[in-house]
Amino acid sequence: MKDTIKFFIYLIKNRKFIVISLIMTIIVSTAIAFLLPQQFTSSVSLTPPAGSSQSLLSSLTSISKMAGSFMDLSGFSAQSVDLYIDILRSNSVIDSLIQKHDLQKRYHMKTIEQTRMKVKRLTKFDIGASEMLTVSFTDRDPQFAKDLCNDYIYYLKKQINLINIQKQQENLKLYQDLYQKQLTVVEDLSNRLNEWLKRNRSLGVEFSVQQKTPSMVSIYDELIKEKSEFYKMKYSLPDTSLALKNKYLKIKELEKSVDSISSTIYEKPEEVVKYTELKIDLEVALRIKNELLGQLNLIKSNLEKPQDNVFFVDIATVPTLKSFPPKKEIVVISFLLVFILELLFFGIKYYLDTNLEDEERNELYKNLKLIFYDPFQKRKDI
């Protein structure tokens, strides 16, 4: 405690030097803060589409599996904020900005690589909690900052359109092949069903069967429904799924019911069972064909009228508030830094003055003078 009081007294004795140095610090830091070029930041906020792309992806995946094919569906993957940032940071987008605004000359850069690094440093990407992306750009000209933000979004939409068109063209060809294969399946099942009807005319056509056996009709319709759902679940759920097992057991029970009714009503029950199976397979094949046709039309429509689906939250505007330099912060930080350095300097000096003998202290100061020797200083011993 006693040493602390002595140290404060020592600081008071040197108050003139401390006050003058702090005043000089305030003057110099204020001058620097006002001489630094002003910087303005413009921002634009956007968000990717939610829901529609993901539901379309699930639908296409289900259809492709039902049709027995595993196509590349990356063109229909849901757009994400990470994808937006990767596109905006790509050299293709940055080079387009450099070329359009002649940024290499504007920022006095020697190479295109240096200009890219400069643009990346001036650009900031922030991701909000609700998957909202904010793109900010800083420049001395507020109008230019706004224009560059808008150009970022323009090239983002352009790149997304190119990616979507490329992927949709690839998937269009795949879907066309799948659709042709499914048409072959439908045609084959139809031919087999017609052949059955020709061979078993005595059993009657479907309408006569329905009129004579209403219980058979209800079981038949339910079996079609359950088997169609089973085919869809089969490719979207693991084989060990409890729901899939329950659906399979229910189908087996319905098939047993069909066999039982057929054996008591019809002369050739095994032929009726074949007829039922063919009708169910044809019904499922037709549903897959119709869904494939619907998705084909959707892809063609998207190719004719491509959409980027970029949703704006806030558009870029001309900033009026300066983002840099923060004048108050510069002055306050400089003041505190110099004050701390002065406390450190006088603390060391106070320690040397109080703990070293005069001869030791003089020798130390003499060595320090040798370290900082000025060869142009006039000698006093001449």
Side-chain angles (χ1 to χ4, degrees):
M1 183 67 181
K2 187 176 181 181
D3 291 338
T4 304
I5 295 174
K6 289 182 179 180
F7 177 66
F8 277 112
I9 294 173
Y10 184 78
L11 291 177
I12 293 173
K13 289 180 180 180
N14 293 275
R15 64 186 180 276
K16 184 176 180 181
F17 176 82
I18 295 174
V19 171
I20 291 175
S21 61
L22 291 177
I23 292 175
M24 290 298 297
T25 299
I26 294 175
I27 294 173
V28 172
S29 61
T30 302
I32 292 174
F34 278 93
L35 289 174
L36 287 174
Q38 298 177 351
Q39 301 287 338
F40 297 85
T41 299
S42 182
S43 301
V44 58
S45 298
L46 52 105
T47 181
S52 58
S53 295
Q54 190 61 40
S55 61
L56 177 59
L57 176 63
S58 301
S59 174
L60 297 179
T61 304
S62 175
I63 294 171
S64 66
K65 290 180 176 180
M66 287 171 62
S69 174
F70 296 90
M71 66 182 66
D72 176 20
L73 296 174
S74 56
F76 295 95
S77 58
Q79 298 176 21
S80 66
V81 172
D82 293 332
L83 173 64
Y84 285 2
I85 293 177
D86 289 340
I87 293 174
L88 292 171
R89 285 177 174 168
S90 65
N91 288 340
S92 60
V93 171
I94 294 178
D95 289 349
S96 298
L97 294 172
I98 293 173
Q99 184 177 3
K100 180 177 180 180
H101 298 282
D102 198 8
L103 297 182
Q104 187 169 345
K105 181 179 179 181
R106 180 182 180 87
Y107 295 126
H108 308 289
M109 296 296 169
K110 295 180 179 179
T111 62
I112 188 68
E113 288 78 12
Q114 292 177 346
T115 312
R116 288 173 184 163
M117 295 301 297
K118 177 71 174 180
V119 174
K120 289 179 180 179
R121 285 196 300 269
L122 295 175
T123 308
K124 185 179 179 182
F125 303 100
D126 292 320
I127 302 177
S130 58
E131 289 296 304
M132 182 178 69
L133 173 63
T134 301
V135 182
S136 304
F137 186 80
T138 302
D139 192 80
R140 287 175 293 179
D141 183 358
Q143 180 64 42
F144 181 79
K146 173 204 168 185
D147 293 341
L148 206 75
C149 269
N150 289 330
D151 286 337
Y152 257 120
I153 305 306
Y154 169 77
Y155 287 114
L156 170 65
K157 296 168 70 174
K158 186 177 179 180
Q159 290 295 324
I160 289 177
N161 281 336
L162 291 176
I163 293 172
N164 286 342
I165 289 173
Q166 181 182 2
K167 291 298 181 181
Q168 286 176 356
Q169 286 174 341
E170 294 173 0
N171 285 326
L172 177 63
K173 186 177 183 303
L174 290 170
Y175 263 89
Q176 287 173 339
D177 294 341
L178 278 176
Y179 183 70
Q180 292 301 321
K181 291 178 181 178
Q182 198 62 25
L183 286 177
T184 304
V185 172
V186 171
E187 185 179 359
D188 178 64
L189 289 171
S190 298
N191 292 334
R192 290 166 59 188
L193 186 60
N194 290 331
E195 290 176 2
W196 184 95
L197 291 173
K198 291 177 182 179
R199 293 195 310 267
N200 300 278
R201 291 185 182 277
S202 61
L203 296 178
V205 294
E206 182 181 356
F207 290 106
S208 63
V209 172
Q210 293 177 355
Q211 290 171 1
K212 293 179 180 178
T213 58
S215 59
M216 182 71 173
V217 173
S218 61
I219 296 176
Y220 170 77
D221 291 340
E222 187 176 0
L223 186 57
I224 288 180
K225 177 184 175 184
E226 295 295 331
K227 205 164 185 179
S228 299
E229 292 178 357
F230 174 77
Y231 286 154
K232 292 183 179 180
M233 294 171 62
K234 183 179 179 181
Y235 297 105
S236 59
L237 296 175
D239 294 338
T240 56
S241 171
L242 183 60
L244 193 63
K245 290 181 179 179
N246 291 336
K247 185 69 68 176
Y248 177 77
L249 293 174
K250 188 171 183 180
I251 289 173
K252 287 299 180 183
E253 290 179 0
L254 290 171
E255 288 178 346
K256 288 180 180 179
S257 299
V258 171
D259 293 345
S260 177
I261 296 175
S262 300
S263 61
T264 57
I265 297 178
Y266 302 107
E267 297 177 359
K268 298 180 180 180
E270 68 280 358
E271 292 296 334
V272 176
V273 171
K274 288 181 181 179
Y275 172 79
T276 305
E277 291 176 351
L278 285 172
K279 284 291 292 183
I280 292 172
D281 291 340
L282 181 60
E283 179 73 21
V284 174
L286 286 170
R287 291 184 183 182
I288 294 175
K289 186 204 75 168
N290 292 334
E291 290 185 10
L292 285 171
L293 180 60
Q295 298 303 334
L296 267 175
N297 293 332
L298 178 61
I299 295 173
K300 291 178 180 178
S301 175
N302 290 335
L303 285 173
E304 292 174 359
K305 298 179 180 179
Q307 297 179 355
D308 50 70
N309 292 331
V310 177
F311 299 152
F312 284 93
V313 179
D314 291 319
I315 61 173
T317 57
V318 178
T320 56
L321 297 177
K322 303 179 209 44
S323 59
F324 187 86
K327 297 180 176 58
K328 292 182 180 179
E329 288 81 352
I330 291 176
V331 174
V332 171
I333 292 174
S334 302
F335 179 86
L336 293 175
L337 183 60
V338 171
F339 183 69
I340 292 172
L341 291 175
E342 285 184 340
L343 290 179
L344 180 62
F345 170 76
F346 283 109
I348 295 173
K349 192 171 185 303
Y350 174 75
Y351 174 81
L352 296 177
D353 290 342
T354 55
N355 292 276
L356 296 181
E357 299 294 336
D358 291 342
E359 294 181 359
E360 295 175 337
R361 187 167 62 253
N362 292 334
E363 183 68 18
L364 176 64
Y365 289 161
K366 182 179 179 181
N367 292 331
L368 290 174
K369 288 181 180 179
L370 289 175
I371 294 174
F372 300 101
Y373 171 72
D374 183 3
F376 299 99
Q377 185 179 7
K378 293 183 179 180
R379 295 180 59 182
K380 295 180 181 180
D381 57 344
I382 298 179

